[in-house]
Amino acid sequence: MVIATGIVAGLINRWLLLRSDYRHYPTYPHGQLIHLALGFIAASLGAVAVPAIAKPDYVAVTFLVLAAQQFREVRNMERETLMKLEESKIISRGTAYIEGIARVFEARNYLVIMTALSSSAAAQLGGLKYAFIVAPISIIVSLRLMGGSFIGDIAQVEKGRIDFKGSLLMVEDVVMMNVGLPQTRQKIMDEGMGVIIKPRDDNARLNLDNPGQRKAIIHDVVSILGSKVDINETELMPLARKQVDQGYLAFFVVANEPDIEMLIEVVKKVPVLESTRGTTLFSYYGRKAAD
Amino acid sequence: MNTGLNEYILAIVTCEKDKIKNGGCPVFLAQGQEEMEHISLLLARVLGGVVHDLENGVYFVCKH
């Protein structure tokens, strides 16, 4: 009974943590099955731990630790799958984004183990009714932990004006690229959209500086609004370039859905990648340099 | 595996042949602006590149 409580709580947790959203992952039914199955294993591991200690059966506990090692493989598995898919994408995710996703998948399993562990501990020590209190709390806590921050939290996103200075495409005062053909220029003027991403502080500036973070923004926008890039027709490639003096980012895209309001919303909802997070304000010299 | 030439001038299209000294890539001479645009568009599509404008009557195709 105790173990069953833990397993159920853990499994519910994993299910809630599964997101099939705009990031296109894991939208594949088989991907979901794999993660639910792994979630079940993680939940069982967590659930068995407390009864095993209570018995006391220390050998079983040692085996549990060994089994937990297996979840490291989850990260490798995700990374490999996404890297393989990368080759068949016109606009790639970028390795920084993939690394972030893979790490999150590993972390989710540990959260499931934690939920199962705490619920089964509650059931073991206090009885079933305590488990009903502890399980929802730990599920909410783990949903919170997995939340993460978004571009909208660290930067201001505004509409940017698209213009040509000779053959140079500009978004506000940032040079994006050189466009040769007059037809292409006209198409960009008609259908292109520009956005300015202004970092709120120095940490955010360093974050937006990172090419991996920029690729993540481009990928998320394209996976929702679409793009008019095709194989061998890369003239309308979406780009993110920085204003070197001020440090803000200009973003340009020719999307299938030319809706500037939604574009701004999408950019705001791009996750801030762990590996690219700027930390200058956490260091003494960084703080001194900033003022 | 991608073995194409990236960040390299693949072809130059121009009406004014005096503006180009030999540079190790094909140079296509065009009669007038219209033909220049057309040739460079075709070249860009075939080569999978992008047309750039040097703003002196010279277009070139480059793959990024």
Side-chain angles (χ1 to χ4, degrees):
Chain A
M1 198 63 207
V2 172
I3 296 171
T5 324
I7 292 178
V8 169
L11 206 55
I12 291 172
N13 193 1
R14 187 69 192 92
W15 188 44
L16 290 174
L17 285 171
L18 261 188
R19 296 221 195 102
S20 311
D21 61 359
Y22 62 90
R23 270 160 280 180
H24 278 347
Y25 200 79
T27 353
Y28 329 108
H30 287 96
Q32 295 190 341
L33 189 66
I34 290 168
H35 286 296
L36 280 178
L38 274 170
F40 177 75
I41 297 170
S44 332
L45 273 178
V48 173
V50 175
I53 295 172
K55 205 181 166 189
D57 184 353
Y58 297 118
V59 182
V61 176
T62 331
F63 272 114
L64 284 180
V65 176
L66 268 176
Q69 294 270 326
Q70 295 301 317
F71 290 98
R72 278 211 200 147
E73 282 303 308
V74 174
R75 191 198 291 199
N76 284 333
M77 181 183 86
E78 285 310 322
R79 187 191 294 129
E80 257 169 45
T81 320
L82 290 172
M83 285 291 191
K84 288 264 161 60
L85 289 173
E86 194 85 330
E87 287 168 20
S88 63
K89 275 174 160 294
I90 291 177
I91 289 161
S92 58
R93 258 194 194 89
T95 40
Y97 200 3
I98 289 177
E99 209 52 46
I101 294 173
R103 209 174 301 173
V104 164
F105 268 102
E106 188 186 358
R108 281 176 183 168
N109 278 306
Y110 294 136
L111 286 175
V112 168
I113 294 181
M114 233 106 85
T115 307
L117 187 79
S118 54
S119 335
S120 72
Q124 173 86 19
L125 301 174
L128 214 48
K129 60 175 185 284
Y130 283 98
F132 273 108
I133 302 166
V134 172
I137 292 173
S138 49
I139 288 174
I140 289 165
V141 167
S142 54
L143 283 175
R144 273 280 158 76
L145 283 174
M146 284 291 41
S149 62
F150 299 97
I151 294 290
D153 302 333
I154 64 160
Q156 257 177 313
V157 186
E158 296 159 7
K159 184 176 189 255
R161 194 171 40 82
I162 289 184
D163 200 9
F164 275 99
K165 198 191 258 176
S167 61
L168 294 177
L169 169 63
M170 317 273 290
V171 174
E172 297 290 341
D173 58 343
V174 186
V175 178
M176 305 302 279
M177 61 172 162
N178 180 305
V179 180
L181 292 174
Q183 303 99 294
T184 316
R185 281 183 215 163
Q186 194 52 47
K187 195 171 171 64
I188 289 174
M189 286 306 280
D190 292 343
E191 302 170 35
M193 290 188 288
V195 155
I196 296 286
I197 308 170
K198 281 194 176 138
R200 287 191 211 275
D201 58 19
D202 282 18
N203 284 346
R205 178 172 53 79
L206 282 172
N207 193 320
L208 293 175
D209 221 34
N210 189 296
Q213 181 68 62
R214 297 189 208 175
K215 271 204 150 174
I217 296 174
I218 292 171
H219 177 266
D220 273 9
V221 167
V222 168
S223 65
I224 301 172
L225 298 178
S227 83
K228 297 198 172 173
V229 181
D230 195 7
I231 300 165
N232 273 12
E233 291 181 31
T234 51
E235 274 171 336
L236 303 173
M237 200 59 130
L239 289 170
R241 292 282 181 267
K242 96 175 153 172
Q243 215 283 3
V244 278
D245 294 325
Q246 311 275 327
Y248 56 81
L249 219 58
F251 175 79
F252 154 79
V253 65
V254 182
N256 292 128
E257 300 280 355
D259 187 333
I260 185 79
E261 301 297 319
M262 286 306 110
L263 173 63
I264 290 174
E265 288 309 310
V266 171
V267 172
K268 278 183 182 169
K269 278 276 176 273
V270 175
V272 172
L273 302 184
E274 254 180 13
S275 52
T276 68
R277 183 165 288 162
T279 51
T280 176
L281 290 180
F282 299 137
S283 79
Y284 174 76
Y285 297 112
R287 273 198 303 278
K288 279 283 170 206
D291 57 41
Chain B
M1 197 171 66
N2 182 13
T3 51
L5 279 175
N6 286 1
E7 319 295 341
Y8 185 81
I9 298 183
L10 297 172
I12 295 173
V13 185
T14 184
C15 303
E16 301 167 55
K17 66 171 191 287
D18 298 337
K19 287 205 168 152
I20 293 152
K21 286 278 179 196
N22 193 14
C25 87
V27 179
F28 295 81
L29 289 176
Q31 312 278 328
Q33 178 73 19
E34 208 169 301
E35 193 189 351
M36 198 163 104
E37 282 167 20
H38 189 62
I39 294 176
S40 47
L41 177 70
L42 291 178
L43 279 171
R45 289 289 178 271
V46 174
L47 297 168
V50 179
V51 181
H52 293 294
D53 181 3
L54 291 181
E55 299 184 8
N56 63 347
V58 178
Y59 283 5
F60 69 90
V61 178
C62 179
K63 196 172 166 187
H64 295 287

